[in-house]
Amino acid sequence: MTQSPLFLTPVFQERIWGGTSLRDKFNYEIPSDLTGECWAISAHPNGQSTIASGEHAGKTLGQLWDENREIFGGAEGTKFPLLTKILDANNDLSVQVHPNDDYAHANENGELGKTECWYIIDCKEGTDMIYGHTASSKEELVRMVENEEWDSLLRRVKIKPGDFFYVPSGTIHALCEGTLVLETQQSSDTTYRVYDYDRTDDRGEKRELHLEKAIEVSTVPHVDSLAEQKIEELDGVTITTFVKEQYFTVYKWDILGKASFTQKHPFQICSVIDGEGILHHGEESYPLPKGTHFVLPAGMEAFVVEGDCKLIVSHV
Ligand code: ZN
């Protein structure tokens, strides 16, 4: 049976490090000037996207996963596996690390682990990212954390728009001030905070750290997981494969003109991060302005994307 694409309404999350880029650059209606996260394609209970139109309008993505698994090609698992966010780091995020599946399952009420990856949509010139650390053993990591040797412990990497980073669970990392990122991750919300720059809130309180768990789950020594990118030039589209790993495969589709696709996966999730296009499917045409997020279900069969736009596309 032919199935139609599913367009999603995102959920916004306020964060102390957030800003207004999600309104300024994506035209979203955001709840405040401290909006940090757009949960664009999410079935996580902490913020679910809803279906914006069509026969399933108003249902959450999680509900659809539970009740209409045929849309997702009968994919397995009790939870929708992926979560796509756009993050506006107007200020530095805390230095953090996420657990893997086994650790999260045992210690965080059956949560999934969190392997994530980032496509840098925009950043200020000369912006850094924290990616990994310099400790060569757990003992050294503990000692450097205890002695607060943050400058020598944390590895800083220069970033620029268009860069891509794969961040497997166990990687110590942080986005820094002035970064706008599209994140594809496992559907999980478990973060262990390692260091928060000794910041305090308006009541003079520091945010909680989770040092013991963070040290337990951190990969030591750090492993650089920067995969080689594969680029394919096709009619109307350049496809860049950023990562093809256990939990997800992530591509960028640079559309210029008219590109024809056939659905080869149980489902794909897509985000328009720049420009504008049209999705043609059967008799229907759907506008794809920047900031549109949608699911291409199993039964899409053939479809065409036309325009001048960039999409980040993922599947399991
Ligand atoms: Zn993270």
Side-chain angles (χ1 to χ4, degrees), residues 44-81:
H44 195 281
N46 294 357
Q48 291 225 34
S49 332
T50 46
I51 313 304
S53 54
E55 62 170 311
H56 299 293
K59 286 189 190 174
T60 63
L61 184 57
Q63 198 179 344
L64 219 56
W65 176 259
D66 291 340
E67 296 169 5
N68 299 82
R69 195 63 69 93
E70 71 284 356
I71 289 174
F72 307 95
E76 297 196 352
T78 53
K79 295 172 185 168
F80 182 78

PDB file of all heavy atoms in Angstrom, residues 44-81:
ATOM      1  N   HIS A  44      10.240  10.603  22.156  1.00  0.00           N
ATOM      2  CA  HIS A  44      10.670  10.460  23.546  1.00  0.00           C
ATOM      3  C   HIS A  44       9.621  11.095  24.456  1.00  0.00           C
ATOM      4  O   HIS A  44       9.132  12.185  24.152  1.00  0.00           O
ATOM      5  CB  HIS A  44      12.041  11.123  23.757  1.00  0.00           C
ATOM      6  CG  HIS A  44      12.675  10.707  25.050  1.00  0.00           C
ATOM      7  ND1 HIS A  44      12.305  11.253  26.253  1.00  0.00           N
ATOM      8  CD2 HIS A  44      13.618   9.768  25.321  1.00  0.00           C
ATOM      9  CE1 HIS A  44      13.012  10.667  27.215  1.00  0.00           C
ATOM     10  NE2 HIS A  44      13.818   9.774  26.676  1.00  0.00           N
ATOM     11  N   PRO A  45       9.271  10.421  25.579  1.00  0.00           N
ATOM     12  CA  PRO A  45       8.218  10.963  26.455  1.00  0.00           C
ATOM     13  C   PRO A  45       8.519  12.373  26.987  1.00  0.00           C
ATOM     14  O   PRO A  45       7.586  13.096  27.359  1.00  0.00           O
ATOM     15  CB  PRO A  45       8.128   9.945  27.598  1.00  0.00           C
ATOM     16  CG  PRO A  45       9.283   9.014  27.435  1.00  0.00           C
ATOM     17  CD  PRO A  45       9.743   9.096  26.016  1.00  0.00           C
ATOM     18  N   ASN A  46       9.764  12.801  27.013  1.00  0.00           N
ATOM     19  CA  ASN A  46      10.069  14.153  27.497  1.00  0.00           C
ATOM     20  C   ASN A  46       9.763  15.249  26.477  1.00  0.00           C
ATOM     21  O   ASN A  46       9.975  16.431  26.749  1.00  0.00           O
ATOM     22  CB  ASN A  46      11.532  14.255  27.921  1.00  0.00           C
ATOM     23  CG  ASN A  46      11.830  13.379  29.130  1.00  0.00           C
ATOM     24  OD1 ASN A  46      10.933  12.742  29.667  1.00  0.00           O
ATOM     25  ND2 ASN A  46      13.082  13.324  29.538  1.00  0.00           N
ATOM     26  N   GLY A  47       9.264  14.879  25.310  1.00  0.00           N
ATOM     27  CA  GLY A  47       8.903  15.893  24.300  1.00  0.00           C
ATOM     28  C   GLY A  47       8.625  15.229  22.968  1.00  0.00           C
ATOM     29  O   GLY A  47       9.533  14.962  22.200  1.00  0.00           O
ATOM     30  N   GLN A  48       7.375  14.941  22.696  1.00  0.00           N
ATOM     31  CA  GLN A  48       7.005  14.198  21.483  1.00  0.00           C
ATOM     32  C   GLN A  48       6.563  15.119  20.363  1.00  0.00           C
ATOM     33  O   GLN A  48       5.761  16.031  20.574  1.00  0.00           O
ATOM     34  CB  GLN A  48       5.827  13.281  21.785  1.00  0.00           C
ATOM     35  CG  GLN A  48       6.168  12.147  22.684  1.00  0.00           C
ATOM     36  CD  GLN A  48       5.584  10.836  22.178  1.00  0.00           C
ATOM     37  OE1 GLN A  48       5.485  10.604  20.973  1.00  0.00           O
ATOM     38  NE2 GLN A  48       5.197   9.988  23.092  1.00  0.00           N
ATOM     39  N   SER A  49       7.012  14.847  19.148  1.00  0.00           N
ATOM     40  CA  SER A  49       6.464  15.547  17.992  1.00  0.00           C
ATOM     41  C   SER A  49       5.077  14.981  17.702  1.00  0.00           C
ATOM     42  O   SER A  49       4.804  13.816  17.976  1.00  0.00           O
ATOM     43  CB  SER A  49       7.292  15.325  16.728  1.00  0.00           C
ATOM     44  OG  SER A  49       8.619  15.065  17.007  1.00  0.00           O
ATOM     45  N   THR A  50       4.245  15.822  17.109  1.00  0.00           N
ATOM     46  CA  THR A  50       2.919  15.358  16.685  1.00  0.00           C
ATOM     47  C   THR A  50       2.819  15.441  15.167  1.00  0.00           C
ATOM     48  O   THR A  50       3.513  16.239  14.535  1.00  0.00           O
ATOM     49  CB  THR A  50       1.788  16.193  17.316  1.00  0.00           C
ATOM     50  OG1 THR A  50       2.131  17.572  17.178  1.00  0.00           O
ATOM     51  CG2 THR A  50       1.600  15.887  18.772  1.00  0.00           C
ATOM     52  N   ILE A  51       1.949  14.621  14.619  1.00  0.00           N
ATOM     53  CA  ILE A  51       1.753  14.611  13.168  1.00  0.00           C
ATOM     54  C   ILE A  51       0.934  15.857  12.817  1.00  0.00           C
ATOM     55  O   ILE A  51      -0.108  16.120  13.421  1.00  0.00           O
ATOM     56  CB  ILE A  51       1.023  13.326  12.723  1.00  0.00           C
ATOM     57  CG1 ILE A  51       1.645  12.073  13.366  1.00  0.00           C
ATOM     58  CG2 ILE A  51       0.978  13.238  11.205  1.00  0.00           C
ATOM     59  CD1 ILE A  51       3.111  11.857  13.135  1.00  0.00           C
ATOM     60  N   ALA A  52       1.422  16.613  11.833  1.00  0.00           N
ATOM     61  CA  ALA A  52       0.833  17.928  11.558  1.00  0.00           C
ATOM     62  C   ALA A  52      -0.379  17.871  10.623  1.00  0.00           C
ATOM     63  O   ALA A  52      -1.228  18.760  10.674  1.00  0.00           O
ATOM     64  CB  ALA A  52       1.900  18.841  10.941  1.00  0.00           C
ATOM     65  N   SER A  53      -0.471  16.846   9.767  1.00  0.00           N
ATOM     66  CA  SER A  53      -1.541  16.845   8.769  1.00  0.00           C
ATOM     67  C   SER A  53      -1.849  15.418   8.330  1.00  0.00           C
ATOM     68  O   SER A  53      -1.177  14.478   8.739  1.00  0.00           O
ATOM     69  CB  SER A  53      -1.092  17.670   7.556  1.00  0.00           C
ATOM     70  OG  SER A  53       0.150  17.176   7.079  1.00  0.00           O
ATOM     71  N   GLY A  54      -2.885  15.272   7.500  1.00  0.00           N
ATOM     72  CA  GLY A  54      -3.233  13.963   6.948  1.00  0.00           C
ATOM     73  C   GLY A  54      -4.056  13.137   7.911  1.00  0.00           C
ATOM     74  O   GLY A  54      -4.520  13.626   8.942  1.00  0.00           O
ATOM     75  N   GLU A  55      -4.214  11.855   7.583  1.00  0.00           N
ATOM     76  CA  GLU A  55      -5.152  11.012   8.350  1.00  0.00           C
ATOM     77  C   GLU A  55      -4.701  10.790   9.800  1.00  0.00           C
ATOM     78  O   GLU A  55      -5.519  10.460  10.646  1.00  0.00           O
ATOM     79  CB  GLU A  55      -5.372   9.657   7.647  1.00  0.00           C
ATOM     80  CG  GLU A  55      -4.119   8.831   7.513  1.00  0.00           C
ATOM     81  CD  GLU A  55      -4.383   7.393   7.049  1.00  0.00           C
ATOM     82  OE1 GLU A  55      -5.263   6.736   7.632  1.00  0.00           O
ATOM     83  OE2 GLU A  55      -3.696   6.953   6.100  1.00  0.00           O
ATOM     84  N   HIS A  56      -3.414  10.961  10.085  1.00  0.00           N
ATOM     85  CA  HIS A  56      -2.934  10.742  11.453  1.00  0.00           C
ATOM     86  C   HIS A  56      -2.731  12.050  12.225  1.00  0.00           C
ATOM     87  O   HIS A  56      -2.129  12.044  13.304  1.00  0.00           O
ATOM     88  CB  HIS A  56      -1.619   9.965  11.426  1.00  0.00           C
ATOM     89  CG  HIS A  56      -1.743   8.617  10.793  1.00  0.00           C
ATOM     90  ND1 HIS A  56      -2.473   7.601  11.350  1.00  0.00           N
ATOM     91  CD2 HIS A  56      -1.258   8.136   9.615  1.00  0.00           C
ATOM     92  CE1 HIS A  56      -2.428   6.531  10.555  1.00  0.00           C
ATOM     93  NE2 HIS A  56      -1.696   6.832   9.490  1.00  0.00           N
ATOM     94  N   ALA A  57      -3.210  13.155  11.683  1.00  0.00           N
ATOM     95  CA  ALA A  57      -2.995  14.475  12.298  1.00  0.00           C
ATOM     96  C   ALA A  57      -3.346  14.441  13.787  1.00  0.00           C
ATOM     97  O   ALA A  57      -4.379  13.888  14.178  1.00  0.00           O
ATOM     98  CB  ALA A  57      -3.823  15.527  11.581  1.00  0.00           C
ATOM     99  N   GLY A  58      -2.469  15.023  14.607  1.00  0.00           N
ATOM    100  CA  GLY A  58      -2.739  15.132  16.040  1.00  0.00           C
ATOM    101  C   GLY A  58      -2.170  13.994  16.851  1.00  0.00           C
ATOM    102  O   GLY A  58      -1.979  14.113  18.057  1.00  0.00           O
ATOM    103  N   LYS A  59      -1.884  12.868  16.210  1.00  0.00           N
ATOM    104  CA  LYS A  59      -1.269  11.761  16.956  1.00  0.00           C
ATOM    105  C   LYS A  59       0.201  12.089  17.226  1.00  0.00           C
ATOM    106  O   LYS A  59       0.846  12.789  16.441  1.00  0.00           O
ATOM    107  CB  LYS A  59      -1.301  10.465  16.136  1.00  0.00           C
ATOM    108  CG  LYS A  59      -2.664   9.819  16.034  1.00  0.00           C
ATOM    109  CD  LYS A  59      -2.510   8.429  15.400  1.00  0.00           C
ATOM    110  CE  LYS A  59      -3.869   7.848  15.054  1.00  0.00           C
ATOM    111  NZ  LYS A  59      -3.750   6.574  14.318  1.00  0.00           N
ATOM    112  N   THR A  60       0.731  11.527  18.302  1.00  0.00           N
ATOM    113  CA  THR A  60       2.169  11.685  18.533  1.00  0.00           C
ATOM    114  C   THR A  60       2.925  10.641  17.713  1.00  0.00           C
ATOM    115  O   THR A  60       2.354   9.611  17.327  1.00  0.00           O
ATOM    116  CB  THR A  60       2.543  11.490  20.009  1.00  0.00           C
ATOM    117  OG1 THR A  60       2.212  10.145  20.381  1.00  0.00           O
ATOM    118  CG2 THR A  60       1.809  12.476  20.910  1.00  0.00           C
ATOM    119  N   LEU A  61       4.193  10.912  17.498  1.00  0.00           N
ATOM    120  CA  LEU A  61       5.027   9.961  16.753  1.00  0.00           C
ATOM    121  C   LEU A  61       5.098   8.628  17.505  1.00  0.00           C
ATOM    122  O   LEU A  61       5.073   7.559  16.891  1.00  0.00           O
ATOM    123  CB  LEU A  61       6.419  10.566  16.533  1.00  0.00           C
ATOM    124  CG  LEU A  61       7.399   9.761  15.686  1.00  0.00           C
ATOM    125  CD1 LEU A  61       6.850   9.453  14.305  1.00  0.00           C
ATOM    126  CD2 LEU A  61       8.734  10.508  15.563  1.00  0.00           C
ATOM    127  N   GLY A  62       5.150   8.693  18.827  1.00  0.00           N
ATOM    128  CA  GLY A  62       5.214   7.473  19.642  1.00  0.00           C
ATOM    129  C   GLY A  62       3.956   6.625  19.504  1.00  0.00           C
ATOM    130  O   GLY A  62       4.016   5.393  19.443  1.00  0.00           O
ATOM    131  N   GLN A  63       2.815   7.302  19.449  1.00  0.00           N
ATOM    132  CA  GLN A  63       1.542   6.609  19.298  1.00  0.00           C
ATOM    133  C   GLN A  63       1.503   5.888  17.945  1.00  0.00           C
ATOM    134  O   GLN A  63       1.065   4.737  17.844  1.00  0.00           O
ATOM    135  CB  GLN A  63       0.443   7.671  19.356  1.00  0.00           C
ATOM    136  CG  GLN A  63      -0.937   7.178  19.642  1.00  0.00           C
ATOM    137  CD  GLN A  63      -1.907   8.364  19.682  1.00  0.00           C
ATOM    138  OE1 GLN A  63      -1.512   9.545  19.779  1.00  0.00           O
ATOM    139  NE2 GLN A  63      -3.188   8.068  19.594  1.00  0.00           N
ATOM    140  N   LEU A  64       1.982   6.561  16.929  1.00  0.00           N
ATOM    141  CA  LEU A  64       2.014   5.983  15.586  1.00  0.00           C
ATOM    142  C   LEU A  64       2.934   4.760  15.545  1.00  0.00           C
ATOM    143  O   LEU A  64       2.631   3.750  14.913  1.00  0.00           O
ATOM    144  CB  LEU A  64       2.512   7.054  14.611  1.00  0.00           C
ATOM    145  CG  LEU A  64       1.841   7.111  13.258  1.00  0.00           C
ATOM    146  CD1 LEU A  64       0.350   7.292  13.365  1.00  0.00           C
ATOM    147  CD2 LEU A  64       2.443   8.268  12.455  1.00  0.00           C
ATOM    148  N   TRP A  65       4.066   4.881  16.221  1.00  0.00           N
ATOM    149  CA  TRP A  65       5.027   3.763  16.316  1.00  0.00           C
ATOM    150  C   TRP A  65       4.356   2.554  16.977  1.00  0.00           C
ATOM    151  O   TRP A  65       4.515   1.426  16.538  1.00  0.00           O
ATOM    152  CB  TRP A  65       6.239   4.219  17.116  1.00  0.00           C
ATOM    153  CG  TRP A  65       7.270   3.167  17.372  1.00  0.00           C
ATOM    154  CD1 TRP A  65       7.456   2.449  18.521  1.00  0.00           C
ATOM    155  CD2 TRP A  65       8.285   2.715  16.457  1.00  0.00           C
ATOM    156  NE1 TRP A  65       8.524   1.594  18.381  1.00  0.00           N
ATOM    157  CE2 TRP A  65       9.046   1.733  17.122  1.00  0.00           C
ATOM    158  CE3 TRP A  65       8.607   3.051  15.143  1.00  0.00           C
ATOM    159  CZ2 TRP A  65      10.120   1.080  16.532  1.00  0.00           C
ATOM    160  CZ3 TRP A  65       9.688   2.398  14.544  1.00  0.00           C
ATOM    161  CH2 TRP A  65      10.428   1.423  15.228  1.00  0.00           C
ATOM    162  N   ASP A  66       3.562   2.807  18.023  1.00  0.00           N
ATOM    163  CA  ASP A  66       2.896   1.716  18.738  1.00  0.00           C
ATOM    164  C   ASP A  66       1.743   1.120  17.938  1.00  0.00           C
ATOM    165  O   ASP A  66       1.535  -0.083  17.937  1.00  0.00           O
ATOM    166  CB  ASP A  66       2.342   2.224  20.082  1.00  0.00           C
ATOM    167  CG  ASP A  66       3.458   2.550  21.064  1.00  0.00           C
ATOM    168  OD1 ASP A  66       4.584   2.040  20.872  1.00  0.00           O
ATOM    169  OD2 ASP A  66       3.203   3.322  22.013  1.00  0.00           O
ATOM    170  N   GLU A  67       0.980   1.974  17.259  1.00  0.00           N
ATOM    171  CA  GLU A  67      -0.287   1.515  16.674  1.00  0.00           C
ATOM    172  C   GLU A  67      -0.215   1.221  15.180  1.00  0.00           C
ATOM    173  O   GLU A  67      -1.066   0.511  14.657  1.00  0.00           O
ATOM    174  CB  GLU A  67      -1.377   2.585  16.918  1.00  0.00           C
ATOM    175  CG  GLU A  67      -1.678   2.771  18.397  1.00  0.00           C
ATOM    176  CD  GLU A  67      -2.538   3.999  18.672  1.00  0.00           C
ATOM    177  OE1 GLU A  67      -2.978   4.654  17.698  1.00  0.00           O
ATOM    178  OE2 GLU A  67      -2.752   4.300  19.863  1.00  0.00           O
ATOM    179  N   ASN A  68       0.709   1.847  14.483  1.00  0.00           N
ATOM    180  CA  ASN A  68       0.756   1.705  13.023  1.00  0.00           C
ATOM    181  C   ASN A  68       2.170   1.345  12.575  1.00  0.00           C
ATOM    182  O   ASN A  68       2.787   2.054  11.779  1.00  0.00           O
ATOM    183  CB  ASN A  68       0.324   3.009  12.334  1.00  0.00           C
ATOM    184  CG  ASN A  68      -1.096   3.406  12.687  1.00  0.00           C
ATOM    185  OD1 ASN A  68      -1.340   4.000  13.733  1.00  0.00           O
ATOM    186  ND2 ASN A  68      -2.027   3.063  11.827  1.00  0.00           N
ATOM    187  N   ARG A  69       2.671   0.230  13.089  1.00  0.00           N
ATOM    188  CA  ARG A  69       4.062  -0.119  12.828  1.00  0.00           C
ATOM    189  C   ARG A  69       4.343  -0.338  11.339  1.00  0.00           C
ATOM    190  O   ARG A  69       5.475  -0.217  10.883  1.00  0.00           O
ATOM    191  CB  ARG A  69       4.447  -1.359  13.653  1.00  0.00           C
ATOM    192  CG  ARG A  69       5.946  -1.601  13.753  1.00  0.00           C
ATOM    193  CD  ARG A  69       6.682  -0.473  14.472  1.00  0.00           C
ATOM    194  NE  ARG A  69       6.391  -0.384  15.875  1.00  0.00           N
ATOM    195  CZ  ARG A  69       7.088  -0.970  16.854  1.00  0.00           C
ATOM    196  NH1 ARG A  69       8.136  -1.695  16.562  1.00  0.00           N
ATOM    197  NH2 ARG A  69       6.741  -0.812  18.117  1.00  0.00           N
ATOM    198  N   GLU A  70       3.274  -0.602  10.564  1.00  0.00           N
ATOM    199  CA  GLU A  70       3.477  -0.816   9.116  1.00  0.00           C
ATOM    200  C   GLU A  70       4.044   0.443   8.446  1.00  0.00           C
ATOM    201  O   GLU A  70       4.776   0.354   7.455  1.00  0.00           O
ATOM    202  CB  GLU A  70       2.162  -1.264   8.440  1.00  0.00           C
ATOM    203  CG  GLU A  70       1.071  -0.204   8.299  1.00  0.00           C
ATOM    204  CD  GLU A  70       0.314   0.101   9.610  1.00  0.00           C
ATOM    205  OE1 GLU A  70       0.573  -0.563  10.636  1.00  0.00           O
ATOM    206  OE2 GLU A  70      -0.535   1.020   9.591  1.00  0.00           O
ATOM    207  N   ILE A  71       3.762   1.611   9.025  1.00  0.00           N
ATOM    208  CA  ILE A  71       4.316   2.859   8.482  1.00  0.00           C
ATOM    209  C   ILE A  71       5.845   2.823   8.521  1.00  0.00           C
ATOM    210  O   ILE A  71       6.519   3.398   7.671  1.00  0.00           O
ATOM    211  CB  ILE A  71       3.781   4.068   9.297  1.00  0.00           C
ATOM    212  CG1 ILE A  71       2.305   4.279   8.981  1.00  0.00           C
ATOM    213  CG2 ILE A  71       4.603   5.334   9.050  1.00  0.00           C
ATOM    214  CD1 ILE A  71       1.637   5.339   9.832  1.00  0.00           C
ATOM    215  N   PHE A  72       6.374   2.120   9.517  1.00  0.00           N
ATOM    216  CA  PHE A  72       7.824   2.067   9.724  1.00  0.00           C
ATOM    217  C   PHE A  72       8.394   0.740   9.222  1.00  0.00           C
ATOM    218  O   PHE A  72       9.414   0.256   9.716  1.00  0.00           O
ATOM    219  CB  PHE A  72       8.136   2.288  11.207  1.00  0.00           C
ATOM    220  CG  PHE A  72       7.494   3.544  11.743  1.00  0.00           C
ATOM    221  CD1 PHE A  72       6.256   3.500  12.379  1.00  0.00           C
ATOM    222  CD2 PHE A  72       8.101   4.773  11.562  1.00  0.00           C
ATOM    223  CE1 PHE A  72       5.652   4.656  12.847  1.00  0.00           C
ATOM    224  CE2 PHE A  72       7.494   5.937  12.026  1.00  0.00           C
ATOM    225  CZ  PHE A  72       6.259   5.886  12.669  1.00  0.00           C
ATOM    226  N   GLY A  73       7.674   0.153   8.266  1.00  0.00           N
ATOM    227  CA  GLY A  73       8.152  -1.081   7.645  1.00  0.00           C
ATOM    228  C   GLY A  73       8.258  -2.235   8.626  1.00  0.00           C
ATOM    229  O   GLY A  73       9.070  -3.130   8.443  1.00  0.00           O
ATOM    230  N   GLY A  74       7.441  -2.200   9.685  1.00  0.00           N
ATOM    231  CA  GLY A  74       7.488  -3.271  10.673  1.00  0.00           C
ATOM    232  C   GLY A  74       8.782  -3.295  11.478  1.00  0.00           C
ATOM    233  O   GLY A  74       9.118  -4.299  12.086  1.00  0.00           O
ATOM    234  N   ALA A  75       9.523  -2.165  11.492  1.00  0.00           N
ATOM    235  CA  ALA A  75      10.787  -2.094  12.244  1.00  0.00           C
ATOM    236  C   ALA A  75      10.557  -2.553  13.683  1.00  0.00           C
ATOM    237  O   ALA A  75       9.477  -2.368  14.231  1.00  0.00           O
ATOM    238  CB  ALA A  75      11.336  -0.668  12.220  1.00  0.00           C
ATOM    239  N   GLU A  76      11.595  -3.154  14.279  1.00  0.00           N
ATOM    240  CA  GLU A  76      11.426  -3.740  15.605  1.00  0.00           C
ATOM    241  C   GLU A  76      11.810  -2.770  16.715  1.00  0.00           C
ATOM    242  O   GLU A  76      12.420  -1.740  16.461  1.00  0.00           O
ATOM    243  CB  GLU A  76      12.285  -5.004  15.705  1.00  0.00           C
ATOM    244  CG  GLU A  76      11.794  -6.031  14.700  1.00  0.00           C
ATOM    245  CD  GLU A  76      12.294  -7.429  14.969  1.00  0.00           C
ATOM    246  OE1 GLU A  76      13.149  -7.606  15.860  1.00  0.00           O
ATOM    247  OE2 GLU A  76      11.793  -8.329  14.275  1.00  0.00           O
ATOM    248  N   GLY A  77      11.426  -3.121  17.940  1.00  0.00           N
ATOM    249  CA  GLY A  77      11.812  -2.323  19.111  1.00  0.00           C
ATOM    250  C   GLY A  77      10.585  -1.722  19.776  1.00  0.00           C
ATOM    251  O   GLY A  77       9.625  -1.336  19.118  1.00  0.00           O
ATOM    252  N   THR A  78      10.645  -1.644  21.117  1.00  0.00           N
ATOM    253  CA  THR A  78       9.502  -1.088  21.832  1.00  0.00           C
ATOM    254  C   THR A  78       9.469   0.430  21.702  1.00  0.00           C
ATOM    255  O   THR A  78       8.428   1.042  21.884  1.00  0.00           O
ATOM    256  CB  THR A  78       9.549  -1.462  23.329  1.00  0.00           C
ATOM    257  OG1 THR A  78      10.834  -1.068  23.825  1.00  0.00           O
ATOM    258  CG2 THR A  78       9.374  -2.946  23.538  1.00  0.00           C
ATOM    259  N   LYS A  79      10.627   1.048  21.393  1.00  0.00           N
ATOM    260  CA  LYS A  79      10.677   2.511  21.303  1.00  0.00           C
ATOM    261  C   LYS A  79      11.105   2.950  19.914  1.00  0.00           C
ATOM    262  O   LYS A  79      12.010   2.331  19.328  1.00  0.00           O
ATOM    263  CB  LYS A  79      11.701   3.062  22.287  1.00  0.00           C
ATOM    264  CG  LYS A  79      11.355   2.818  23.734  1.00  0.00           C
ATOM    265  CD  LYS A  79      12.520   3.227  24.606  1.00  0.00           C
ATOM    266  CE  LYS A  79      12.225   2.873  26.063  1.00  0.00           C
ATOM    267  NZ  LYS A  79      13.415   2.989  26.888  1.00  0.00           N
ATOM    268  N   PHE A  80      10.501   4.042  19.419  1.00  0.00           N
ATOM    269  CA  PHE A  80      11.000   4.654  18.195  1.00  0.00           C
ATOM    270  C   PHE A  80      12.469   4.994  18.445  1.00  0.00           C
ATOM    271  O   PHE A  80      12.789   5.674  19.415  1.00  0.00           O
ATOM    272  CB  PHE A  80      10.189   5.915  17.885  1.00  0.00           C
ATOM    273  CG  PHE A  80      10.605   6.591  16.605  1.00  0.00           C
ATOM    274  CD1 PHE A  80      10.196   6.098  15.383  1.00  0.00           C
ATOM    275  CD2 PHE A  80      11.413   7.716  16.630  1.00  0.00           C
ATOM    276  CE1 PHE A  80      10.580   6.718  14.195  1.00  0.00           C
ATOM    277  CE2 PHE A  80      11.811   8.348  15.453  1.00  0.00           C
ATOM    278  CZ  PHE A  80      11.386   7.832  14.233  1.00  0.00           C
ATOM    279  N   PRO A  81      13.384   4.524  17.584  1.00  0.00           N
ATOM    280  CA  PRO A  81      14.799   4.520  17.977  1.00  0.00           C
ATOM    281  C   PRO A  81      15.541   5.845  17.879  1.00  0.00           C
ATOM    282  O   PRO A  81      16.574   6.014  18.516  1.00  0.00           O
ATOM    283  CB  PRO A  81      15.418   3.505  17.005  1.00  0.00           C
ATOM    284  CG  PRO A  81      14.505   3.501  15.821  1.00  0.00           C
ATOM    285  CD  PRO A  81      13.127   3.804  16.326  1.00  0.00           C
TER     286      PRO A  81
END
